[in-house]
Amino acid sequence: MRDLSLLQIQMRDYDGYRETRQRLLELRPGQRASWIGYAISWHLLKDYEMALAVIEEFRKTLNPKPYDYEYSELILYQSSILEEACRYQDAINHLQKYEKDIVDKLFLEESRARLYQLLGDTSSSAAVYRKTIEVRQKIYSDVLEQQPRASLPKKLPLTFLTGDMFRDHVDEYLRRSLRKGVPSLFTSLKPLYTDSSKVSMIQQLTTTYYRTLIDKQLFHPEDTIESNEGELEPPTTLLWTQAYLAQHYDYLGDFKQAFHHINEALDATPTLPELQMIKGKIFKHAGNMQLAAQHLDEAQAMDTADRYINCVCAKYMLRNNQVKEAEAMCQNFTREGASAADNLNEMQCMWFQTECAAAYSRRQQWGDALRHCHQVDKHFTEITEDQFDFHTYCLRKFTLRSYVSLLRLEDVLRNHRFYFKAASIAIKIYLHMHSHPVGDETSHGESNPSNLSASELKKLKNKQRKAQKKAAEEKAAAEEAAKRQTTADKNNKASGADADSEVSKKSDELLPSKLERCADPLEQAIRFLVPLQTLCSHKIESHIFAYEIYSRRGKPLLMLKAIKGGYNLHTRDPRFHVCMVKFLIYVRAASNLPDSVKEVLDKEMSSIYNNVTPQSLNNKFLDDNKSSLPHRLAAAQAMYYMDQSCQTAALELACSLDNSLSGITIQNCSEVYASLTKQDFGECSEKMDSYKKSCHQLFPFSSVFSPEPVVEKPSEEVVCNGVNSGHHDPLTQHEQ
């Protein structure tokens, strides 16, 4: 019976779970797990009255001891059920009645304040919150007195102080951290950068430090040696000030100033790994992942025992599509005797796998990318299965509130960002595979080599050679998998077990060659889409993916559902606007829809579109967002989709880089350039070249718009740990 109840709660069969727990209670009424399990079953069914009645009967049988944690947890669990039942006053009375039995006094006061607020009694809520603040102030004062060198008590006031008080406190915090040489100083202050006034004060202080440290080796022009405890600031203070300013200007997008300060710091101390990491991060934000990965590689070579630098270096390599190099980098900290990819898969290292999937996708190695996406999906399935052991553990340990929270977390597990990223990559790949099936990539010209020029024929041969090499690698992998299958079958016959065979079959299912040649890509895309529609409906991407999939399957009602879901988010997302225009055109052009479908479409679309034409819808969208670059791109794409004779107007609209426009960033301009490359506006090579040149002038460090690879010229060579770690000046090429 107990095993049956565990299976029922695992499968979320709450009705069956309640019946089984009731029978267990009847069989073993003396066990507390029987009472608690039965109460939780009613709670999960949202029958709060029965849950409270069962818990109250069980509570009467207990004899609490002083400082009894389990009894305290039971009281707080009752309070949480009352709160869920919207019986806020009863919950307050319950907490007040058993206040002496509750161990966690701070949580008690916070719960009471929250309940008063839910009742609308703001004065009582404020009074309780003041009481909790006083308690925290005492704790804060005690920590500050006992740990005067601790940085956290000094940083916390910066989040709420303003004006001169903020300036004084941040001045003290900056001086102390720069003097100590804290590498994470900028990271700790970055949350303050949402307030422009605080950013301005921080910039004013740090630039003053920088100039005065160069002139006088002091922080401020008015400082003296006597006021500075009789000492000048050490040279490292200037070094960390330069490092902070480099990160500060990098965050603000002023890459020239950022490179200026980080290069000065590297000139003084070229062997400090943190400086190389900062420079790599600046290159990443400036749009050049190749040089970013190069500097992280240099930083890692300076401190090969640092796991964090190793991970960041691997991530940058993956962003630069260097998958094999990233795996070799991770091999330094993975289990010996196994490949880094397999070991990281066993450890469910999902950041690595999502980055690998994105890198393979950019390299158009669809099978390898999908393999990593499916591995991430399996991790979430395994995490869901792993909760099985906690059903008995939590009841035994009496962590009731945490147990209910765990069950609810598992129900929405796939709204995690790792799953969303993996699912997004997989859906995009399956959509591409539906439009361009593997094996049909060759164009008509490629199938007739006699029609190609010498250069085109050379490119075709290189492409065929790469395809043959990839096919050979996949064949070798398939043969290796077959060998493992044969070995596993032999072992199974000898031992009578089939576990290894199951593992081998699962690994065989994730062969890249099979994944990229699936029979129905859209069906596989829907498999990843369903959790997004259920758990990530607040994200516009979920509805865009749904529309793109169902539009290819010709499902007008499901397309309408996606449009309606995105419309209800009240978003002005430019990508969703293109979907709305396409759907309106599709419905107007459809002539063979059943009458029942037409009736539903007419009724629902009238409230969304207000009977406008596609042209009017696009014009209104453009008028409302004419100063935004991403919205202009969407309007231009919709314009060309409606009428291909408007190519010139659409290109002018999308490619404008006027100073009055907002959103002119590397990412947005890269999306415009990618749209031109994919021929969303037809053949426009001349416009694409001119746009690339214009963007190169705006973003000279970005490799996307550079006419040739951006290469740093070494200004000096430094040998560190046997590794050639040359320091270069990235501004040289662009200032000439």
Side-chain angles (χ1 to χ4, degrees):
M1 291 293 293
R2 187 176 60 182
D3 292 341
L4 175 61
S5 70
L6 297 179
L7 289 173
Q8 287 169 331
I9 189 64
Q10 178 76 10
M11 302 303 296
R12 300 300 189 265
D13 178 12
Y14 293 141
D15 289 315
Y17 180 66
R18 178 189 57 77
E19 294 176 3
T20 305
R21 296 307 310 190
Q22 182 177 357
R23 294 184 63 184
L24 284 171
L25 178 61
E26 293 170 353
L27 292 172
R28 297 179 179 178
Q31 290 187 354
R32 67 178 188 177
S34 301
W35 287 90
I36 295 301
Y38 187 48
I40 288 177
S41 69
W42 285 110
H43 182 195
L44 296 175
L45 285 168
K46 297 186 178 181
D47 191 335
Y48 303 116
E49 298 301 325
M50 279 297 299
L52 290 168
V54 173
I55 293 177
E56 183 61 23
E57 287 298 319
F58 172 66
R59 189 195 62 78
K60 292 177 181 178
T61 65
L62 300 177
N63 295 315
K65 303 175 184 178
Y67 208 78
D68 192 330
Y69 170 80
E70 293 184 351
Y71 189 75
S72 171
E73 176 66 20
L74 186 66
I75 299 299
L76 292 175
Y77 181 55
Q78 283 182 292
S79 174
S80 68
I81 296 176
L82 288 168
E83 184 176 346
E84 282 189 38
C86 299
R87 294 170 54 181
Y88 305 128
Q89 187 60 54
D90 292 339
I92 293 172
N93 297 337
H94 178 76
L95 292 175
Q96 187 173 356
K97 181 178 180 181
Y98 297 101
E99 181 175 355
K100 62 181 179 61
D101 297 315
I102 297 175
V103 175
D104 192 345
K105 300 299 182 183
L106 189 58
F107 182 81
L108 167 65
E109 297 300 328
E110 290 176 345
S111 300
R112 185 178 289 160
R114 183 178 65 255
L115 290 167
Y116 276 126
Q117 193 170 4
L118 291 171
L119 274 175
D121 189 352
T122 55
S123 59
S124 299
S125 177
V128 178
Y129 274 126
R130 288 192 190 96
K131 185 177 179 181
T132 59
I133 290 173
E134 290 174 1
V135 173
R136 282 187 165 87
Q137 283 179 336
K138 186 178 184 306
I139 296 173
Y140 173 79
S141 301
D142 293 343
V143 171
L144 200 59
E145 182 180 350
Q146 296 171 10
Q147 303 290 337
R149 300 180 63 183
S151 61
L152 183 60
K154 296 180 176 64
K155 188 184 77 171
L156 288 176
L158 300 177
T159 59
F160 56 83
L161 292 177
T162 57
D164 292 337
M165 291 186 66
F166 172 79
R167 180 188 293 273
D168 295 339
H169 278 74
V170 78
D171 184 19
E172 179 185 355
Y173 185 80
L174 283 168
R175 291 189 187 209
R176 184 172 179 273
S177 301
L178 293 172
R179 190 178 289 119
K180 287 181 63 178
V182 179
S184 60
L185 174 60
F186 179 79
T187 303
S188 66
L189 293 182
K190 190 161 65 172
L192 304 177
Y193 275 59
T194 56
D195 189 333
S196 58
S197 62
K198 292 184 178 182
V199 174
S200 178
M201 282 187 274
I202 291 174
Q203 179 171 320
Q204 185 179 359
L205 287 169
T206 50
T207 51
T208 301
Y209 298 162
Y210 170 68
R211 291 192 297 266
T212 313
L213 285 168
I214 292 176
D215 296 338
K216 301 172 56 178
Q217 282 188 260
L218 295 170
F219 276 113
H220 196 272
E222 298 178 0
D223 291 348
T224 62
I225 297 179
E226 290 75 15
S227 64
N228 202 44
E229 299 179 356
E231 295 181 356
L232 295 173
E233 296 296 336
T236 55
T237 304
L238 175 60
L239 177 74
W240 290 110
T241 302
Q242 292 167 332
Y244 184 90
L245 282 170
Q247 296 174 88
H248 169 83
Y249 285 114
D250 173 42
Y251 185 87
L252 298 180
D254 190 347
F255 300 122
K256 187 172 182 179
Q257 283 290 335
F259 278 123
H260 168 73
H261 287 290
I262 196 60
N263 284 338
E264 282 190 341
L266 279 167
D267 284 336
T269 311
T271 58
L272 189 62
E274 286 80 4
L275 299 182
Q276 293 287 357
M277 291 181 67
I278 293 172
K279 190 169 184 179
K281 185 178 291 187
I282 297 171
F283 269 120
K284 181 187 76 169
H285 295 156
N288 195 316
M289 283 308 305
Q290 180 180 354
L291 292 179
Q294 175 183 322
H295 281 282
L296 262 294
D297 193 18
E298 293 181 12
Q300 194 276 335
M302 294 175 185
D303 189 356
T304 56
D306 193 312
R307 188 188 295 265
Y308 172 73
I309 299 179
N310 181 278
C311 291
V312 176
C313 181
K315 186 174 183 179
Y316 275 48
M317 287 178 170
L318 290 172
R319 294 283 177 90
N320 194 40
N321 303 332
Q322 298 173 274
V323 181
K324 298 302 180 185
E325 292 82 351
E327 290 181 359
M329 184 64 63
C330 291
Q331 190 73 50
N332 297 330
F333 289 96
T334 55
R335 187 179 68 245
E336 294 183 6
S339 68
D342 292 340
N343 190 227
L344 292 171
N345 181 45
E346 291 176 9
M347 294 190 294
Q348 298 181 345
C349 186
M350 286 185 272
W351 74 262
F352 180 82
Q353 292 178 302
T354 53
E355 291 293 343
C356 279
Y360 278 125
S361 178
R362 289 189 293 268
R363 294 171 59 171
Q364 298 187 3
Q365 294 178 241
W366 312 123
D368 294 295
L370 288 173
R371 177 168 60 89
H372 285 284
C373 293
H374 281 277
Q375 286 175 344
V376 172
D377 178 61
K378 286 192 174 184
H379 293 333
F380 281 90
T381 302
E382 292 168 0
I383 293 171
T384 302
E385 293 172 353
D386 288 343
Q387 69 174 306
F388 190 84
D389 297 330
F390 288 90
H391 298 312
T392 54
Y393 175 84
C394 292
L395 294 183
R396 188 172 69 251
K397 292 295 183 180
F398 235 65
T399 54
L400 308 180
R401 290 176 297 146
S402 299
Y403 176 54
V404 174
S405 299
L406 170 67
L407 295 177
R408 291 172 176 171
L409 171 65
E410 294 285 354
D411 290 340
V412 296
L413 188 64
R414 278 181 165 82
N415 70 355
H416 194 277
R417 59 188 177 92
F418 282 147
Y419 182 83
F420 184 84
K421 185 175 182 179
S424 300
I425 294 171
I427 290 172
K428 290 177 183 177
I429 292 174
Y430 281 124
L431 289 173
H432 175 83
M433 289 168 57
H434 174 76
S435 303
H436 307 86
V438 176
D440 295 342
E441 297 93 340
T442 56
S443 64
H444 178 71
E446 290 177 345
S447 61
N448 295 280
S450 59
N451 298 331
L452 301 177
S453 63
S455 60
E456 291 174 337
L457 185 60
K458 184 178 180 181
K459 291 180 181 179
L460 175 60
K461 289 182 178 179
N462 289 335
K463 185 176 181 180
Q464 291 174 342
R465 192 180 301 112
K466 290 180 180 178
Q468 291 173 356
K469 183 179 178 181
K470 183 180 178 182
E473 292 176 353
E474 292 177 352
K475 183 179 179 181
E479 291 176 353
E480 182 65 25
K483 290 180 181 178
R484 291 198 301 268
Q485 176 69 45
T486 303
T487 305
D489 290 342
K490 290 180 180 179
N491 293 335
N492 291 337
K493 290 178 181 179
S495 62
D498 59 351
D500 292 337
S501 178
E502 290 297 324
V503 172
S504 182
K505 288 179 181 178
K506 288 182 179 180
S507 62
D508 186 61
E509 291 174 1
L510 296 181
L511 283 176
S513 57
K514 288 189 175 182
L515 291 172
E516 67 183 4
R517 289 177 172 82
C518 65
D520 190 352
L522 294 182
E523 187 65 31
Q524 293 295 322
I526 291 174
R527 174 186 168 188
F528 282 95
L529 173 68
V530 171
L532 301 188
Q533 287 182 301
T534 306
L535 305 175
C536 302
S537 59
H538 60 285
K539 295 184 178 181
I540 191 64
E541 291 85 355
S542 302
H543 304 288
I544 294 174
F545 288 145
Y547 175 81
E548 294 292 346
I549 292 172
Y550 293 124
S551 64
R552 286 162 172 78
R553 302 200 79 170
K555 302 290 185 181
L557 293 182
L558 292 175
M559 293 161 64
L560 172 65
K561 181 181 178 182
I563 293 294
K564 189 175 180 180
Y567 179 79
N568 290 335
L569 293 179
H570 302 288
T571 179
R572 303 295 297 175
D573 191 281
R575 298 165 297 174
F576 183 69
H577 168 71
V578 178
C579 296
M580 289 190 66
V581 172
K582 288 182 177 180
F583 182 62
L584 184 57
I585 294 173
Y586 169 82
V587 173
R588 285 173 169 257
S591 58
N592 57 347
L593 295 176
D595 293 338
S596 57
V597 174
K598 285 184 178 180
E599 182 180 354
V600 174
L601 291 174
D602 292 340
K603 180 180 178 181
E604 295 294 335
M605 291 178 65
S606 61
S607 60
I608 298 175
Y609 290 96
N610 295 322
N611 299 319
V612 298
T613 63
Q615 291 79 6
S616 300
L617 178 66
N618 194 48
N619 292 337
K620 185 179 185 306
F621 178 82
L622 180 59
D623 290 339
D624 294 340
N625 306 278
K626 57 185 176 182
S627 62
S628 171
L629 178 61
H631 293 81
R632 289 169 68 94
L633 172 62
Q637 290 173 334
M639 181 188 297
Y640 183 78
Y641 183 82
M642 289 184 289
D643 186 1
Q644 296 187 3
S645 64
C646 299
Q647 183 191 44
T648 303
L651 287 173
E652 289 298 325
L653 181 63
C655 299
S656 175
L657 295 172
D658 191 85
N659 293 331
S660 61
L661 298 180
S662 62
I664 300 181
T665 63
I666 293 176
Q667 181 180 357
N668 290 336
C669 291
S670 298
E671 290 179 0
V672 175
Y673 184 69
S675 182
L676 298 175
T677 305
K678 292 186 296 184
Q679 296 189 349
D680 289 346
F681 302 96
E683 175 59 35
C684 54
S685 56
E686 293 184 4
K687 187 65 177 178
M688 185 167 59
D689 292 339
S690 63
Y691 183 77
K692 184 177 181 180
K693 292 178 182 178
S694 300
C695 290
H696 177 61
Q697 294 177 354
L698 289 174
F699 311 109
F701 302 106
S702 176
S703 57
V704 176
F705 307 117
S706 179
E708 57 186 21
V710 180
V711 180
E712 291 185 287
K713 297 181 180 180
S715 58
E716 63 183 64
E717 298 294 327
V718 180
V719 177
C720 176
N721 296 333
V723 178
N724 189 358
S725 177
H727 165 54
H728 316 296
D729 183 6
L731 297 175
T732 304
Q733 172 185 344
H734 307 290
E735 291 179 342
Q736 288 178 346

